[in-house]
Amino acid sequence: MAEETGIFQLLKAIAGKAALFPAALDAARRSINLIVGAQLSADAADLASVRKIAALLGPAAFAEAVDGLPSAKVKALVARIDPLGPAPAAAPERIRHLLALAEGKAQPATAKAKPPSKGKTPASVRPGEAAPADGKSEAAPRRRRITGRAALRASDER
């Protein structure tokens, strides 16, 4: 055939004279879904490119292409473009979430701000003990708990 860029030129030429190819309508639809599916499955697919593809195809054609993707590919794509968002368990819910992201009806989740700490007591202060007034705590040597055979030997020695 032709070079890589020439292939898309051929597709454009065929699309310009679609009346010459009435028997190939179903094959063209499958080809479009394969092309879109391959691009969406690629590691380079991000939210911006997904939205551009959805805008180019229109909602119905994009939904048809996404519906033809395997469930694992849809799951991976949703996880890649919305890593902090909800992870729907069912495939139809994932597809709806992907379509909402692509159409701009939903935005990817952002990291939640960490709430400020409420002045926790140092870890070396045990319950019932007071923390040092100066705020600096000197870690008391921890007593090692003896279990198993070592406990038996220690009890025999006492």
Side-chain angles (χ1 to χ4, degrees):
M1 263 261 152
E3 295 179 26
E4 290 178 19
T5 56
I7 291 172
F8 287 108
Q9 294 298 327
L10 289 173
L11 288 174
K12 186 177 178 181
I14 290 171
K17 302 290 183 179
L20 293 174
F21 303 96
L25 183 63
D26 193 44
R29 177 177 285 124
R30 284 192 312 264
S31 297
I32 290 169
N33 290 342
L34 281 171
I35 290 169
V36 172
Q39 185 59 41
L40 293 177
S41 298
D43 289 336
D46 59 355
L47 182 58
S49 64
V50 170
R51 285 183 172 167
K52 287 178 184 176
I53 292 169
L56 175 72
L57 296 178
F62 183 75
E64 181 182 340
V66 168
D67 193 42
L69 288 174
S71 180
K73 300 277 185 180
V74 173
K75 183 177 182 179
L77 179 60
V78 169
R80 185 172 47 247
I81 64 175
D82 191 9
L84 300 175
E93 293 171 4
R94 275 188 236 126
I95 291 174
R96 279 194 289 276
H97 185 62
L98 176 61
L99 293 175
L101 287 168
E103 294 172 7
K105 293 179 181 175
Q107 296 298 322
T110 57
K112 294 181 180 177
K114 202 174 187 183
S117 63
K118 296 182 179 181
K120 295 181 181 177
T121 57
S124 64
V125 176
R126 293 190 179 104
E129 294 180 7
D134 63 356
K136 296 181 181 176
S137 65
E138 293 183 24
R142 288 189 158 204
R143 293 188 65 172
R144 191 171 148 210
R145 187 172 200 177
I146 302 173
T147 59
R149 290 184 184 167
L152 290 174
R153 273 188 263 129
S155 65
D156 289 342
E157 293 172 3
R158 290 186 187 171

